Amino acid sequence: MLKFEVLHTCSQTGARIGKLTTPHSIIETPVFMPVGTKATVKTMTPEEIKSIGFQIILSNTYHLYLSPGNELIRKAGGLHKFMNWGRSILTDSGGFQVFSLAKLRKVTDEGVYFRSHIDGSEHFITPEKSMKIQNDLGADIIMAFDECTPYPCSYEDAKRAVVRTSKWAYRCLNAHYNKERQALFGIVQGNVYEDLRKNSINDLVSMDFPGYAIGGLSVGEPKDLMYQVLDYTAPLLPDKKPRYLMGVGSPDCLIESIIRGIDMFDCVLQTRMARNGTVLTNRGRLVVRNAKYAEDFIPLDPECDCCVCVNYTRAYIRHLIKNNEILGLRLTTYHNLYFTWKLMENIKKAIKQNKLLDFKEEFFEKYGYI
């Protein structure tokens, strides 16, 4: 059974320290969740993710449904046992993946028809089927099936998606049969239209979900516009339940969103950047695969105390990446995840000290946002 308690609110901002309890772990929020799309955080072992300090990761319903299949994972004893991860897992509903594969799908009020990006086979996912898949996977937190709209999007299209998302949320509630072990979150839609966001919240709050996600952001809109949406959306969500902003994970967005009262985040940015030879540092992004670092014998980030920065140089990591050595991608991934975990720890410390705005100013100035 999921429990959430707000322990402290920063007097400078609306940022919260919370305690989120699931059947598999206790999580201090705000929290960043590494993305393990196909039951693995790419290039990392579960033991490494655990050693950094993460208590929860995200996996993807759409991809696991296609391969190896939810039935196989159920037979394995659920996703936790299948991937040897003993802490918490959140699975998304598959709705965003259907949205992002727009050329392969057709949305109806009943559900979504789509073709597999793997072999072209035809599939049909309804809210009920999304619940069945996620119940089989056995994650601690699961998400209602929703329709995510792109940016820009017409008001009428966004309105239709809100109505459909609300109807699907109700169907998900009725189909979800493992309520004692899996908490089902509703997803707020409405694109960048304030009245639609409010309508979506009203619908979902009336269904009394144990937590609420804000979807349909970070899909191409300017960051300032995303912050505006959060300004009028987050305060309408229940104070005593977790608030989850989906698909957001850059350092600036994490800080700005936490200031606005968000508790949970996930993003592929950290691992995807790492595989492209780019790392996060306290002085901004660094493209370590660039030739200028061929003879640079200092750590990726001299201010970082992760095992990668303590033991390896930019020159060595660049050499690995240029020669397609897997270790290079593992080291950049580990660093980016550790950097983000440490950032979240520092943010929580600032919230507890009621100094989050001071932390933001210092971090942004050093990172290069000012």
Side-chain angles (χ1 to χ4, degrees):
M1 196 69 180
L2 181 137
K3 298 179 181 177
F4 180 70
E5 181 182 2
V6 177
L7 303 177
H8 177 77
T9 301
C10 175
S11 61
Q12 283 188 333
T13 68
R16 301 125 57 96
I17 295 291
K19 183 171 78 171
L20 182 65
T21 304
T22 80
H24 285 91
S25 58
I26 297 174
I27 304 146
E28 186 178 52
T29 63
V31 62
F32 174 82
M33 300 177 285
V35 176
T37 300
K38 301 176 183 178
T40 173
V41 178
K42 291 188 188 300
T43 79
M44 294 286 99
T45 67
E47 291 75 20
E48 288 168 327
I49 299 300
K50 190 184 298 183
S51 73
I52 292 173
F54 290 107
Q55 291 287 341
I56 181 170
I57 62 171
L58 179 146
S59 284
N60 184 265
T61 294
Y62 168 88
H63 288 285
L64 293 176
Y65 160 69
L66 291 178
S67 178
N70 52 292
E71 292 288 346
L72 184 148
I73 292 174
R74 181 183 59 78
K75 291 176 183 177
L79 191 54
H80 291 89
K81 288 186 177 180
F82 185 61
M83 66 182 295
N84 190 36
W85 174 255
R87 297 180 179 178
S88 300
I89 299 175
L90 182 151
T91 47
D92 60 15
S93 69
F96 180 79
Q97 279 63 40
V98 170
F99 151 77
S100 62
L101 298 171
K103 293 180 180 178
L104 302 176
R105 53 94 167 169
K106 177 184 177 183
V107 181
T108 71
D109 288 341
E110 184 59 26
V112 181
Y113 295 89
F114 67 93
R115 288 186 179 274
S116 165
H117 69 285
I118 298 172
D119 58 11
S121 57
E122 293 186 355
H123 299 269
F124 182 53
I125 289 188
T126 63
E128 292 79 10
K129 186 164 185 176
S130 176
M131 289 298 95
K132 172 64 167 63
I133 296 168
Q134 292 186 79
N135 286 154
D136 284 348
L137 297 178
D140 303 86
I141 301 172
I142 65 177
M143 305 304 298
F145 197 56
D146 65 319
E147 183 180 2
C148 180
T149 52
Y151 178 85
C153 174
S154 72
Y155 181 88
E156 288 304 316
D157 285 346
K159 184 177 180 179
R160 275 192 292 271
V162 165
V163 172
R164 187 173 279 149
T165 293
S166 294
K167 290 180 178 178
W168 286 358
Y170 183 75
R171 288 166 59 185
C172 286
L173 272 176
N174 289 332
H176 177 34
Y177 58 78
N178 194 19
K179 295 179 175 64
E180 288 301 310
R181 299 288 298 176
Q182 296 180 284
L184 173 62
F185 282 22
I187 303 178
V188 176
Q189 291 293 345
N191 210 277
V192 296
Y193 302 103
E194 184 172 359
D195 63 324
L196 296 183
R197 287 281 175 181
K198 290 180 178 178
N199 290 344
S200 183
I201 291 172
N202 289 337
D203 289 345
L204 296 175
V205 169
S206 71
M207 300 180 208
D208 195 27
F209 287 94
Y212 295 90
I214 300 173
L217 292 179
S218 193
V219 291
E221 79 282 356
K223 288 182 179 179
D224 286 348
L225 186 53
M226 182 181 79
Y227 300 149
Q228 288 176 28
V229 174
L230 291 179
D231 282 335
Y232 58 70
T233 300
L236 298 177
L237 294 172
D239 285 336
K240 296 181 180 181
K241 295 186 178 181
R243 304 164 179 166
Y244 166 29
L245 179 58
M246 306 181 79
V248 171
S250 64
D252 56 330
C253 289
L254 289 173
I255 294 171
E256 292 285 5
S257 302
I258 289 168
I259 286 172
R260 290 162 171 82
I262 302 301
D263 306 302
M264 302 171 65
F265 304 87
D266 79 279
C267 197
V268 298
L269 175 76
Q270 283 71 8
T271 50
R272 182 174 290 167
M273 280 177 50
R275 296 194 303 279
N276 289 320
T278 300
V279 293
L280 299 164
T281 79
N282 283 284
R283 303 287 171 173
R285 296 185 185 185
L286 184 147
V287 186
V288 70
R289 60 180 164 77
N290 284 354
K292 63 189 284 188
Y293 300 111
E295 298 184 15
D296 194 339
F297 303 112
I298 67 171
L300 293 173
D301 183 355
E303 299 175 49
C304 178
D305 62 353
C306 78
C307 63
V308 176
C309 290
V310 168
N311 292 295
Y312 303 101
T313 66
R314 295 173 179 180
Y316 176 64
I317 293 172
R318 178 185 183 272
H319 153 72
L320 294 174
I321 291 171
K322 293 298 288 185
N323 286 279
N324 296 317
E325 289 290 344
I326 293 172
L327 179 59
L329 308 185
R330 283 177 38 76
L331 295 179
T332 52
T333 300
Y334 188 100
H335 167 79
N336 279 353
L337 290 173
Y338 181 92
F339 177 91
T340 306
W341 176 83
K342 192 64 175 285
L343 172 63
M344 297 299 284
E345 292 298 299
N346 289 332
I347 289 171
K348 286 184 280 194
K349 181 179 178 180
I351 295 172
K352 293 172 183 176
Q353 296 174 344
N354 299 307
K355 294 181 178 180
L356 186 53
L357 290 180
D358 300 333
F359 175 84
K360 170 190 167 182
E361 185 176 351
E362 293 170 8
F363 181 87
F364 278 29
E365 184 175 2
K366 187 161 61 170
Y367 199 83
Y369 289 129
I370 298 176

